[in-house]
Amino acid sequence: MSTEIKAPVFPESVAEGTVATWHKQPGEACSRDDLIVDIETDKVVLEVVAPADGVIEDILKGEGDTVESGEVIGKFKEGAKGESGSADSKASSAESDSDTDSDKGEAKAEQSQNSGDAILSPAARKLADENDVDPSAVKGTGKDGRVTKEDVQNHVDAAKSSGGSSKPAESAAMPEVNVAAGERPEKRVPMTRLRASIAKRLVNAQQTAAMLTTFNEVDMGPIMELRKQYQDSFVKRHDIKLGFMSFFAKAATEALKRFPAVNASIDGNDMVYHGYQDVGVAVSTERGLVVPVIRDVDALGLADIEKKIVEYGTKAKGGKLAIDDMTGGTFTITNGGIFGSLLSTPILNPPQTAILGMHKIQERPMAVNGKVEIRPMMYLALSYDHRMVDGKEAVQFLVAIKEMLEDPARILLDV
């Protein structure tokens, strides 16, 4: 029975997508729930899987083609056996022949290897190839021992953290070119839909908002001492480490309550004040910057915030963030300090009216009670839309965050 392969139904905020990668070709057999094709939108990559065991009959939309929500992109035939099925039978036939010569023995070994590759999902195989990972070295956690994309990613991360040599994914983007001395090779590739969306939003933010940035600095000593004192107890109690971002999220939430304009947005000629605090946390991925949103931060404890951050970070790394995870948000925090940034001016995340930039913690000589002391300092930057937020409010908002971080008890006491 022949069925249509359709693009997923996109949310209202997504108009169209692009066919990123066909993992199966016409005539190629696939099992139920095998990944067939990736559809890239301006926010996430959506995966289309096989509805049943069968074979790809026809591809109507090739890689790079634009597709609309629910549009037919190919045809699938249930129950049919394709190339992989015939390859399996050939491999088994070769294995049963004990009198093959050396050439046939090599063919049998190759076929057996191809048959063994079936335990690797297409997305996992692609990631393994990009990172030069031996599939046999990866432990599969999927059905019937199948190696999933997450298994390969975890293997790559483990190799990097242990100092192992893994070929970075970025290396696949630049071809190996043998050129004469003095020549300068180039490679032109189309901008991904996510990167194009990021570019459009950033340019739009700078062109439409009256953006201004105010700076301050915060002594991170009290927070660092608090973490050092309670880290072990925190981990035992909540099974997660206490980081800096949760303190910043809670401090920002308290400051947003005091300065509602910073927690607002502009809709045409209307100013929309939000009676809740949904804080977006910028996460850098290989595909680009994404901003998952932590909802109702005011109702969450530090442990809940840390768990959400880890959850979103894992999803972002595996490309599993849903559009709902990144929709909305009343305020954004971005941390360039993890990459070594000492100071920057973050760009607004429309339609929000403000974004807080964290930076690298660096020891500097500071005047403390008339004496020079070496203190762990961090520069803070608050970019804001001057159409909505006055300079006085922006400065006081940043000072409130600084005071709460330098005296964490203020967060609990709301003073």
Side-chain angles (χ1 to χ4, degrees), residues 212-217 255 259 262 354 356 380-384 386 389-403:
L212 190 62
T213 305
T214 183
F215 302 96
N216 214 314
E217 58 184 353
F259 302 94
V262 185
L356 176 69
L380 298 180
L382 180 76
S383 292
Y384 60 98
H386 214 334
V389 183
D390 291 332
K392 175 184 175 183
E393 289 176 301
V395 171
Q396 289 179 329
F397 175 87
L398 199 54
V399 168
I401 290 180
K402 168 186 167 67
E403 290 176 345

Side-chain angles (χ1 to χ4, degrees), residues 287-362:
R287 294 180 58 245
L289 192 71
V290 293
V291 187
V293 179
I294 303 174
R295 315 283 177 184
D296 297 315
V297 178
D298 185 37
L300 302 179
L302 295 177
D304 298 320
I305 297 173
E306 292 293 346
K307 288 176 181 177
K308 269 294 181 184
I309 292 171
V310 171
E311 177 189 338
Y312 282 145
T314 303
K315 279 186 175 182
K317 190 179 296 183
K320 299 296 183 184
L321 280 173
I323 291 178
D324 288 344
D325 294 333
M326 297 180 284
T327 303
T330 62
F331 185 75
T332 296
I333 301 176
T334 180
N335 184 8
I338 58 176
F339 304 112
S341 171
L342 185 64
L343 188 62
S344 67
T345 55
I347 299 177
L348 292 174
N349 183 19
Q352 298 171 21
T353 55
I355 179 172
L356 176 69
M358 299 167 56
H359 298 90
K360 172 184 177 182
I361 298 174
Q362 184 162 296

Side-chain angles (χ1 to χ4, degrees), residues 127-133 160 165-177 187 286:
L127 186 61
D129 291 341
E130 290 175 348
N131 290 275
D132 199 19
V133 172
K160 288 179 181 177
S165 59
S166 276
K167 177 183 175 185
E170 289 80 5
S171 64
M174 188 63 189
E176 294 182 7
V177 183
K187 181 182 179 183
E286 291 181 357

Side-chain angles (χ1 to χ4, degrees), residues 16-164:
E16 58 187 17
T18 301
V19 177
T21 307
W22 276 100
H23 298 287
K24 298 289 185 179
Q25 298 301 319
E28 188 174 354
C30 49
S31 302
R32 181 184 179 89
D33 294 333
D34 271 357
L35 179 59
I36 297 177
V37 59
D38 288 333
I39 307 293
E40 184 178 16
T41 71
D42 58 1
K43 294 186 178 180
V44 294
V45 173
L46 303 172
E47 297 179 343
V48 180
V49 299
D53 294 343
V55 65
I56 301 297
E57 196 172 27
D58 191 16
I59 290 178
L60 303 179
K61 290 285 186 177
E63 294 181 1
D65 288 351
T66 299
V67 295
E68 296 180 354
S69 180
E71 184 177 356
V72 178
I73 58 176
K75 292 184 179 180
F76 181 85
K77 192 171 184 179
E78 295 183 18
K81 290 186 177 180
E83 294 170 3
S84 60
S86 60
D88 290 339
S89 63
K90 289 178 184 177
S92 60
S93 174
E95 289 170 5
S96 65
D97 187 354
S98 59
D99 296 325
T100 53
D101 56 21
S102 60
D103 292 339
K104 289 182 180 178
E106 291 176 4
K108 184 182 86 171
E110 183 179 349
Q111 287 170 332
S112 178
Q113 182 182 0
N114 289 340
S115 179
D117 284 346
I119 63 169
L120 211 67
S121 71
R125 185 180 297 114
K126 181 182 178 184
L127 186 61
D129 291 341
E130 290 175 348
N131 290 275
D132 199 19
V133 172
D134 180 7
S136 61
V138 183
K139 183 179 179 182
T141 60
K143 184 179 179 182
D144 299 327
R146 179 182 291 269
V147 177
T148 65
K149 183 179 179 182
E150 286 74 18
D151 294 331
V152 177
Q153 185 64 59
N154 291 337
H155 180 83
V156 172
D157 293 342
K160 288 179 181 177
S161 62
S162 61

